[in-house]
Amino acid sequence: MFTAAGANPTPSSTRTGKRRPRPLSNEGSIPKAKRQRSALSDHTFIAPDNHAEMQEAKAYKPAALSPREVTREVSGQHKEIPVRGKKTRSGDRNSKGDGSVVLTTNDTYTVSKLPALPDRLRANTKERQHGAIYSDSGYALSLTHTHAIVWPYAVNAPSPETFTFAIPQPSKHFTDPLPLGSLVSASASSSEPGLVVVVPTTGRITYWESIASAATLDLRLQRNGVELSISGMYSGETVIQILNAESAGFMLAFSSGRIAFMSVRDSQGRPAVSVQFLRSGSGSASGGLFGSVRNALSRASSHGDIAAVRAGQPGKVGERNVVLATSKGKIQSWDINRSGHTSLVAETEVREAIVLAIKETIRSMSELLIETFEILDFAHIPNPLEPAAGQGTSLLLLTSLGDRQTTHYTLVEILLKPNETMIGNIRPIKSYTTPVMRTATSNPRLYLPSPGLVGFAVFDRAVVVVSMVKQPDSPEMQLITESHFPLQTFEDVIDFRKDMNVEIVGSGMEEPNAAPHGIEDSKSRRHKAKYPATVLVVRGGGVLRIAATNVTKLASKEAQKVTAKSKLEQAVFFGNLEHNPINFAVRSELEFTPEEVGEAALDLSRDILKSQTPYIPSVPGSIDQNLRKRSAALHDLAEYLKQSGVELDRVTRWKLLWDAERLEAAIVVWNRYDALVREKPVGQKRGLLTEVVEWIHEDYKTEPVPEAGELDRVRHWFINDIWNLEIALPWAFQVIKYTYQDGQKDHVAVMETLSEANDFVIGALQGAFNFRTANLRLYGLQSEPLYHGILSEGYEVLPQFWTSAFFGVENLRKQIELAGVLLTAYIGKPAQEGQPSVELIDKIKGEHGLLIDMSIRAHNERVRWSSVQDDPQLQIEAEQMTVAQETAVDGQLKQLAKDLGSPGEAILLAEKHEILPTLAYVLMYELNECSRKANANSKSEANLAAQDINDDQSAALKMTVRQCFNKFGKRWADALYGLDIELDSMNVLLDGFPEEFPYLTTYLRNRQDCGKIAWIHEVTRNKDFDQASMILLDLGLQREQDLWSKKIELSIGKLARLAGKNYSQKDGIIIPDGGNTELTATHNELSLIKIQDTVYEYILPAIAAAIDDNAELQLALEAHGNKLSRKQPAFSSLLKDKMGHLVRHIAMKGADLVDLLTLMEDNDYNEDYVFRGERFYLALKASQHGIDEKEERLTIQRMIWRRCMLRDDWSQVNNTDMKDDSQIQDQLRQTALYLTFKNCLKNNLFNKKSSIKPIKPQEILGAYTDGLDRRFDGLDVSFQERIMKDFEVEDDAFKVYIERCRLENWHTGALELAQQDFAQEMAEETEDGSKMRQAKTALQEAEEAISKKEQTAAENLLRGKMSSRPRPRLNGSFTKSVKY
């Protein structure tokens, strides 16, 4: 346990006579210094003991020592007769009945403020003072420059009996050190202690034998010999400490390093003050006992200032051990006896050994300089740490090593023996590194009250509580000890607030079961302590006790640790205590990680919700007060976390906020429930909330224990289970449902229960949402996008919100539906017996809109959260809930407006939650109602007031519509105009709200399905023909299916395009070809439409007698169905489908027309001869206009030529036996192939730029036998296979003609014959046309000549005189000039 620090010289022992030595004439003097000494350090400290020691209170300006000059000031005589108050009854006082106020507490210690404080000290907190606590007598001492104040500090009285003493001849200067004083053990003639006071600068000593009687003796102090001035003090020397070493006497320490013995009684026990400086002779008997002590101690000044002089535990009467320590490490131990016996037990220098041990044990201090080492204070260890300690003195040193910014404090155990000093455990203080305040009133103190399990290091504004428990012996502990590793024990700091300007100016300690000094009087004020404690005199804070209330935990095997939760508990439950001087901010040395703080905050928050914290009673008289206390605690927790600046993660902040929301919601719910119970008659108190609590599964609530008096289930639930409030919310509706299913079908009872359910749900959710909105900044969530109490985004990492649990949202929607049904059934109906009261109906109706509001918020929150989760089931749930809720809320708001007569509330809700389609519907519905009322009022002019009201309402509604344009912009336009289109209100759409036409333009341009309306708006309102053309052409080309509409749209679109072009006289039209290039697609579609019209005109005679579309299709197939295709069922189905499009006037694409034209049949050869010649030509033309992709177009043309050639029997054509050439040519001219060639040539379809060419049969083979094109992609796979099979059948038949009928040659012959016939026809048409053109030219020339001649004659007549009436010339010249 201990290591040797070094050997000491054998101490000298001096024994003098039994009688008291007389003071020498030169006692107190010292040899003259060779040079003037500089000012000594004034940092001295108080000693730990049951008797508190008083030390010097620092002067503002320390005086320099001068060996020649002594300044003495004589003060005037002060008279003060204190009035003694009534004594309180003495006796044992426990912590519950002593009147103290707990300032903070935890599992280890409790800090309390004692009630007793003199009025003078309470009123004047700025006056300089210091003091001490004397637990053995139960009194506290406080000294100012002019007075000494003594009072019983542990009594239960705010203004205790106080003894105030005017100090004779105090120091004149306010900056001088404060007087020193000590209580003296009671004399035989009094039960009260005495008082001795020393003025540090003058050395004037005043002694009162009893505090109870001395106040009346201050006028006779000098005459009674109880006053003395210390002789032999140096100039500038001051007394820095007074040590009560009774029953041996008192010790005085001086700033020069000297020490003196003081006695306040003579040998007969009478009051007499005497002071003797201890001599510096080493072992010389000439100076007597105290001369040797003085000689030994005078050398301490060369090793640093006196840090502390402490007396050991009392032994025999009249004997005491005194230990002195200097700040630089010099330690001496003396045994003194009031009879004059003394011996120097031990003397050592420990600085180097301690610093070396500290650096070996604490590696982080290895770089600190030994020059910064100081002993600040020490204490005697009550119980020796080892058996060998009985041979020496066990001390606990408070030391420091510093650097520029911090000071490292350590507790060092040493065993001081006559021949050696052993260093034991080294315990670093990690929680406090603030440097010592050199200007503080008091110096650091160290207390180690019996049984020595806990120590208190007292600084000017902080107290460090340290566990000193010795761990049980074990190999591990032995290894730690031998390696000088620091032990992990409990350590915490009680810090005081700087803003209150409080300062610890005195202290003392209390020991449990401490034996009294002498015989204890029945009127003794001695405080019988239950726990080891230190008691502080705090300027501006009163008297505080820090008691180690759980020493058992400190002595447990596992060391107690200061946790973040413990610190949070102290701050939350005691931080807002009025005038609490404790600073609850966690010091930087004890800072916890944000994760630790967050976890601790959540634990504490949940403990508060569950009433599992000891700081709030769990059996309250008022649930409302209990809930508010818990709510205030959560608020204080949030406020503390905010002020501390801890960077908590976002999830933790939200969880803390949710807990606070639950409490706030519980307060609202309880108050409504409490008011309802108060109103109900006796015997009918049971309500919905009682049912809800009983229905909740036992896994989600705490079952009450009737044997423990827990009989009220509802109160028990509010105390213990509101942390699970979201479990109770769905039961509000479920209780109604199960009650109804169990036979309670009375509508009155159902609506009463529904009313309570509304109170429960609305109270909880509205309270939570309002609280969330108001306290977002408190929880550091001010940047969250919160609207109406719910987040608009950012749900990804957050857990499920308690306000939008799935079952809660679903049951809330059902509850609204039930309320709507019941309200609709009873609103506006006359009251009848057995029906709900009007008041009940009005209440449910009045809160129905609020219930819908809560449902919308909870649903939106749930959907937003579920939709961003990784779980696919939650995403599906979000989609399903969205669809269900959109339908539900639309119906709820419409019902609220129409059936329940609250359109204004419905409008507000729809606008609030931006449910714009419903908002548009309600507004339009109300506007229509206003119009209807206006029409009704116009027929009856009597009700003018109603008409004015209706007009005002209509104007307000229209203003709301306009405001919505400004507020929601395009989204509102989409909703409003979409409703107009849905209701076919084209006049409202195109003419209503003309000032908002820009929104209408944007809406129509973005709605491709509104092209039929949009182009009218563009032409009539915007005069934009180009935009109208774009809309019409896009509609006709991409979306229109009706043939007639498509034809009109494309035609008007083409005209609009041309009308929208800009012309210039200089440059002409902008597009040289008149817009044909950009209208190519339009021309192609119009060509396809023309082809479809041609086909329809062909089949029209066959379907003229049909009565409906189905009959038309049947007749068309009967007349023009391809009988050959019946062996090809897939082609038959294809033909039926395309024929259906034709008769229903569905616009067909190019490939569809090809299938129709090539699969249909020419049943009447003679009549259909013309169409038979055009059919495949039209199919080729359809492929040209309707198929853009080159390869696809070529493939489909191969199919057209194949089907064209399959329409004739080439075996008959090939049989030329007994036929002349003219017969063969006539037969060839009747084939579909020849006719198709002829039409293609006649219409210039085979020119060089055309994509249509005659294809030879060999090149046609195989078309669509290897694969189908994209027009068949959407068909079923099996149907595609059947089509492929039909194509193969068709190709096989075609192959037979090639192989057996010389089709290749006939193809060439037909083409040549068609070209020959076409050339001949063109030649004939050319000759006849030339003659006609010549006749036309001659006619035009003759008409021009006649016109010119007549014009000339008319002009001549105008110029000349008319002598006679002209006569017509009928010589027939014109007729003669014309040749027939």
Side-chain angles (χ1 to χ4, degrees), residues 71-354:
T71 303
R72 297 176 65 97
E73 298 181 7
V74 181
S75 61
Q77 190 177 38
H78 293 265
K79 299 179 181 180
E80 180 176 334
I81 302 178
V83 179
R84 297 180 63 183
K86 182 179 178 180
K87 287 188 176 182
T88 58
R89 184 176 180 180
S90 62
D92 291 342
R93 298 171 177 86
N94 55 38
S95 59
K96 295 183 179 180
D98 63 357
S100 61
V101 177
V102 176
L103 300 181
T104 186
T105 185
N106 58 20
D107 292 342
T108 308
Y109 63 82
T110 297
V111 182
S112 56
K113 182 178 182 179
L114 305 184
L117 186 68
D119 294 338
R120 175 170 179 165
L121 298 181
R122 183 179 286 109
N124 191 355
T125 59
K126 296 183 179 180
E127 184 179 12
R128 290 186 67 211
Q129 58 175 293
H130 68 159
I133 299 294
Y134 299 86
S135 60
D136 57 342
S137 63
Y139 284 93
L141 170 64
S142 179
L143 294 108
T144 66
H145 273 285
T146 57
H147 291 82
I149 304 171
V150 182
W151 74 97
Y153 72 90
V155 297
N156 186 4
S159 298
E161 182 181 17
T162 304
F163 306 94
T164 304
F165 304 92
I167 299 174
Q169 301 180 12
S171 58
K172 293 183 177 180
H173 302 291
F174 178 75
T175 57
D176 289 343
L178 292 171
L180 303 176
S182 175
L183 294 184
V184 183
S185 59
S187 64
S189 61
S190 174
S191 62
E192 304 290 357
L195 172 64
V196 60
V197 177
V198 181
V199 179
T201 55
T202 63
R204 187 175 184 84
I205 302 173
T206 306
Y207 168 59
W208 291 270
E209 187 176 14
S210 172
I211 59 173
S213 59
T216 63
L217 301 176
D218 60 331
L219 297 178
R220 296 174 290 165
L221 288 175
Q222 198 170 21
R223 182 171 69 249
N224 288 339
V226 290
E227 186 178 80
L228 178 72
S229 292
I230 302 173
S231 62
M233 287 181 62
Y234 298 156
S235 175
E237 186 180 28
T238 60
V239 183
I240 61 173
Q241 183 179 339
I242 179 171
L243 170 67
N244 188 330
E246 291 184 306
S247 58
F250 292 85
M251 303 295 290
L252 300 178
F254 294 82
S255 59
S256 62
R258 298 193 297 168
I259 193 169
F261 172 79
M262 181 181 72
S263 176
V264 296
R265 295 187 181 97
D266 59 13
S267 58
Q268 283 75 33
R270 292 174 299 186
V273 180
S274 63
V275 176
Q276 294 176 320
F277 282 95
L278 304 187
R279 297 194 175 188
S280 58
S282 179
S284 173
S286 60
L289 164 65
F290 295 105
S292 62
V293 175
R294 177 191 175 204
N295 179 52
L297 296 181
S298 64
R299 297 196 300 269
S301 61
S302 63
H303 296 279
D305 301 329
I306 296 175
V309 182
R310 303 286 177 253
Q313 293 293 330
K316 296 179 180 180
V317 177
E319 296 180 358
R320 205 70 181 270
N321 175 262
V322 176
V323 178
L324 175 147
T326 67
S327 60
K328 296 303 180 183
K330 183 70 174 281
I331 299 178
Q332 291 180 338
S333 175
W334 288 87
D335 286 338
I336 61 173
N337 191 301
R338 72 179 179 184
S339 64
H341 295 277
T342 184
S343 62
L344 179 61
V345 178
E347 180 180 11
T348 184
E349 290 276 359
V350 296
R351 181 172 73 166
E352 293 184 0
I354 291 177

Side-chain angles (χ1 to χ4, degrees), residues 1036-1037 1046 1050 1080-1090 1147-1150 1185-1186:
L1037 293 173
K1046 186 170 187 174
L1050 291 175
T1080 300
T1082 304
H1083 293 155
N1084 288 334
E1085 288 295 327
L1086 289 173
S1087 298
L1088 293 177
I1089 292 172
K1090 185 176 181 181
M1148 302 172 67
K1149 297 191 177 297
H1185 293 294

Side-chain angles (χ1 to χ4, degrees), residues 796-810:
E796 286 77 7
V797 299
L798 295 178
Q800 174 181 281
F801 282 63
W802 77 272
T803 48
S804 56
F806 175 77
F807 291 107
V809 174
E810 289 294 306

Side-chain angles (χ1 to χ4, degrees), residues 691-739:
E691 299 287 345
V692 168
V693 173
E694 292 182 356
W695 276 99
I696 296 175
H697 193 273
E698 59 186 8
D699 291 344
Y700 300 102
K701 65 181 178 182
T702 305
E703 288 292 337
V705 182
E707 295 79 5
E710 298 173 348
L711 304 178
D712 192 334
R713 286 180 172 270
V714 176
R715 289 176 179 268
H716 186 269
W717 184 78
F718 273 97
I719 294 172
N720 298 282
D721 297 317
I722 58 172
W723 64 274
N724 224 355
L725 183 59
E726 58 269 30
I727 295 297
L729 288 176
W731 281 104
F733 172 76
Q734 292 297 319
V735 166
I736 301 175
K737 183 181 76 173
Y738 288 131
T739 303

Side-chain angles (χ1 to χ4, degrees), residues 953-966:
Q953 184 179 2
S954 177
L957 290 171
K958 291 179 180 179
M959 179 59 66
T960 302
V961 173
R962 295 186 180 93
Q963 290 174 350
C964 288
F965 276 107
N966 297 330

Side-chain angles (χ1 to χ4, degrees), residues 378-577:
F378 67 91
H380 287 79
I381 298 178
N383 298 318
L385 300 181
E386 289 190 354
Q391 304 298 323
T393 303
S394 296
L395 302 175
L396 181 65
L397 307 182
L398 175 61
T399 68
S400 69
L401 279 169
D403 53 25
R404 293 181 178 180
Q405 298 178 348
T406 59
T407 299
H408 304 275
Y409 301 99
T410 53
L411 297 177
V412 182
E413 297 177 6
I414 69 169
L415 180 60
L416 190 62
K417 293 185 176 182
N419 298 321
E420 63 175 343
T421 301
M422 303 184 69
I423 299 177
N425 290 331
I426 295 176
R427 206 281 188 201
I429 295 178
K430 300 179 180 179
S431 60
Y432 188 81
T433 59
T434 302
V436 173
M437 184 67 67
R438 300 300 180 182
T439 59
T441 301
S442 298
N443 290 326
R445 287 300 309 268
L446 177 64
Y447 295 102
L448 191 62
S450 178
L453 299 179
V454 61
F456 301 93
V458 182
F459 297 89
D460 60 326
R461 280 194 176 91
V463 178
V464 181
V465 183
V466 182
S467 172
M468 300 305 299
V469 176
K470 179 184 176 182
Q471 299 296 328
D473 293 334
S474 64
E476 182 181 358
M477 185 56 58
Q478 183 178 0
L479 180 61
I480 293 175
T481 303
E482 293 176 354
S483 304
H484 295 287
F485 291 144
L487 300 177
Q488 298 296 325
T489 57
F490 176 84
E491 179 184 328
D492 198 4
V493 178
I494 299 141
D495 217 353
F496 291 91
R497 295 166 56 180
K498 294 182 180 180
D499 59 334
M500 291 183 64
N501 197 27
V502 296
E503 182 183 6
I504 300 173
V505 295
S507 58
M509 71 176 181
E510 296 176 342
E511 295 179 311
N513 305 319
H517 295 283
I519 300 174
E520 185 175 6
D521 189 86
S522 61
K523 297 182 180 181
S524 172
R525 302 301 184 96
R526 187 178 73 87
H527 175 67
K528 296 179 180 179
K530 297 176 63 176
Y531 309 106
T534 181
V535 182
L536 312 176
V537 180
V538 181
R539 178 172 53 81
V543 179
L544 309 183
R545 176 186 288 130
I546 304 175
T549 54
N550 199 335
V551 181
T552 304
K553 281 193 174 182
L554 292 175
S556 62
K557 184 177 180 180
E558 294 184 1
Q560 298 296 311
K561 295 182 180 180
V562 178
T563 62
K565 183 179 179 181
S566 174
K567 285 295 184 183
L568 288 177
E569 286 176 334
Q570 295 182 60
V572 168
F573 295 108
F574 301 100
N576 283 343
L577 193 64

